[in-house]
């Protein structure tokens, strides 16, 4: 495959990224159709139940397919009936004879079937182009398919000496406006955002997405509240968002306590408890069964520490601001008992570093 193939797959990836955070339980996928070195149609999967990327691209064509036309698609076309017909059949019916696929479908029940079906119908299929980028676009879908659990992202904003807040809990604002906007973009691209009830009691956040563009969405708010201590006037309970709030409580909470908290737009999830706190591993399985593909963990320190120790975080975004608290009594990123030796710490891989004004963002994947 040549540079032209790379260029067109990058265009398909650009389409796919438009769907991140909006397609659960389906993967975000992009497709373009190319004729004589030019893109003549494009599409992406917008939401579950809507047309898949391949059909979106085919439907946007203003011309009949000609010999030599080629479709570039980031993920293997589906070959099964779901809420929509198989994309493989649409490709064949339209007369596409060349398809370049970024990566096979990671679902073991699906992997390769769509590619095989197309080849059986005399379609020339090439597989394996910009595989790392294509896998990154569907990382949440892949995790859910292979483990039944959501892809978990941790976000932390810190001073240079590692504190996320002062002794009194004050943390507004450690990072600058560019970093905060980046976080709202993260919220826009995940299914859920998770915090402990301590964060709600201390800060009463809205946990919404505040961006100017029209296509923004709020994540589902997930609040860990073992004993249902949440204030009844808190913003996450009294919201006008189209996304729900999930309060995760212990299995033992009374029906009366649930009734006091439950209201329109708010659901209670009862979850097993371990050592007096929500069993986070059990919760991840519950969220997976609810088809929640991605969760952003924003705090607090106790939640972050537990998630790290239980190896439940897949990806980290750590923001470092040019501030030094200069004491030993601030709030750390993660609370609880850590390893006794450095070689017992969690290493990150695939590191990327980015400047956001005076702040520095470090992104990496957990190397369990």
């Amino acid at each position: 495959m040549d540079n032209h193939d790379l260029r067109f797959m990058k265009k398909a990836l650009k389409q796919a990224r438009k769907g991140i955070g909006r397609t659960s339980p389906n993967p975000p996928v992009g497709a373009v159709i190319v004729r004589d070195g030019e893109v003549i149609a494009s599409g992406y999967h917008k939401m579950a139940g809507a047309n898949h990327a391949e059909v979106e691209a085919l439907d946007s064509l203003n011309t009949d397919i000609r010999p030599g036309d080629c479709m570039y698609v980031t993920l293997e076309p589906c070959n099964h009936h779901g809420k929509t017909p198989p994309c493989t059949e649409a490709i064949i019916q339209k007369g596409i004879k060349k398809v370049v696929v970024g990566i096979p479908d990671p679902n073991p029940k699906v992997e390769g079937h769509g590619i095989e079906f197309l080849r059986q119908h005399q379609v020339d299929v090439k597989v394996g182009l910009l595989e790392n980028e294509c896998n990154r676009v569907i990382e949440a879908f892949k995790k859910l398919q292979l483990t039944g659990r959501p892809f978990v992202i941790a976000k932390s904003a810190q001073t240079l000496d590692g504190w996320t807040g002062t002794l009194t809990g004050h943390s507004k604002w450690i990072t600058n406006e560019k970093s905060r906007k980046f976080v709202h973009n993260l919220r826009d691209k995940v299914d859920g955002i998770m915090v402990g009830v301590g964060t709600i009691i201390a800060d009463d956040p809205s946990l919404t997405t505040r961006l100017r563009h029209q296509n923004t969405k709020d994540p589902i708010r997930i609040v860990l509240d073992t004993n249902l201590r949440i204030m009844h006037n808190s913003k996450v309970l009294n919201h006008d968002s189209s996304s729900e709030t999930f309060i995760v409580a212990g299995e033992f909470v009374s029906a009366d306590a649930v009734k006091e908290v439950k209201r329109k737009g708010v659901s209670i999830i009862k979850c097993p408890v371990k050592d007096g706190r929500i069993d986070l591993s059990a919760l991840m399985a519950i969220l997976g069964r609810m088809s929640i593909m991605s969760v952003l963990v924003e705090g607090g320190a106790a939640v972050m520490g537990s998630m790290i120790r239980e190896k439940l975080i897949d990806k980290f975004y750590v923001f470092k601001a040019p501030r030094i608290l200069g004491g030993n009594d601030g709030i750390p990123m993660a609370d609880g008992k850590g390893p006794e030796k450095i070689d017992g710490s969690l290493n990150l891989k695939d590191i990327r570093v980015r400047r956001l004004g005076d702040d520095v963002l470090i992104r990496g994947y957990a190397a369990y």
Side-chain angles (χ1 to χ4, degrees), residues 107-146:
N107 184 344
K109 297 179 180 178
V110 177
E111 185 177 9
H113 296 175
I115 294 166
E116 181 183 357
F117 185 83
L118 290 173
R119 285 174 173 164
Q120 288 172 352
H121 289 78
Q122 289 72 56
V123 178
D124 178 16
V125 183
K126 296 178 181 178
V127 184
L129 188 63
L130 295 179
E131 294 168 272
N132 288 340
E133 291 89 337
C134 291
N135 270 307
R136 191 155 285 158
V137 166
I138 65 157
E139 58 192 8
F141 170 77
K142 187 173 183 178
K143 171 85 180 291
L144 185 64
Q145 287 296 311
L146 298 180

Side-chain angles (χ1 to χ4, degrees), residues 154-211:
K155 164 256 170 183
S156 179
Q158 307 175 6
T159 61
L160 280 181
D161 49 348
W163 301 107
T164 64
T166 67
L167 171 66
T168 63
H170 188 261
S171 60
K172 292 184 178 180
W173 295 102
I174 289 176
T175 53
N176 63 29
E177 189 174 341
K178 286 186 177 181
S179 294
R180 298 197 295 274
K181 183 178 179 181
F182 189 98
V183 171
H184 282 280
N185 276 292
L186 274 180
R187 290 182 179 182
D188 182 55
K189 295 185 181 299
V190 296
D191 292 345
I193 178 172
M194 189 170 82
V195 300
V197 70
T199 296
I200 303 298
I201 293 171
D203 300 332
D204 193 21
S206 299
L207 300 181
T208 53
T209 300
R210 295 184 289 280
L211 296 171

Side-chain angles (χ1 to χ4, degrees), residues 6 16 60 97 109 111 138 149 211 216 233 239 248 260 301 304 309:
L6 293 173
S60 70
K97 291 297 183 182
K109 297 179 180 178
E111 185 177 9
I138 65 157
R149 294 166 176 245
L211 296 171
T216 187
N233 64 345
H239 63 82
V248 184
E260 287 185 15
M304 193 72 75
R309 284 189 294 277

Side-chain angles (χ1 to χ4, degrees), residues 38-63:
E38 297 292 334
V39 173
I40 59 171
S42 61
Y44 71 99
H45 185 40
K46 295 180 172 66
M47 59 183 292
N51 286 337
H52 290 186
E54 300 93 324
V55 174
E56 282 281 308
L58 290 167
D59 285 352
S60 70
L61 272 173
N62 295 318
T63 178

Side-chain angles (χ1 to χ4, degrees), residues 8 12 18 21 27 35 66 78 89 121 147 157 173 293 360-361:
F8 296 131
K18 296 178 182 179
R35 175 182 295 165
R66 299 177 187 172
C78 65
E89 292 182 4
H121 289 78
T147 70
W173 295 102
M293 287 202 314
V360 176
L361 167 60

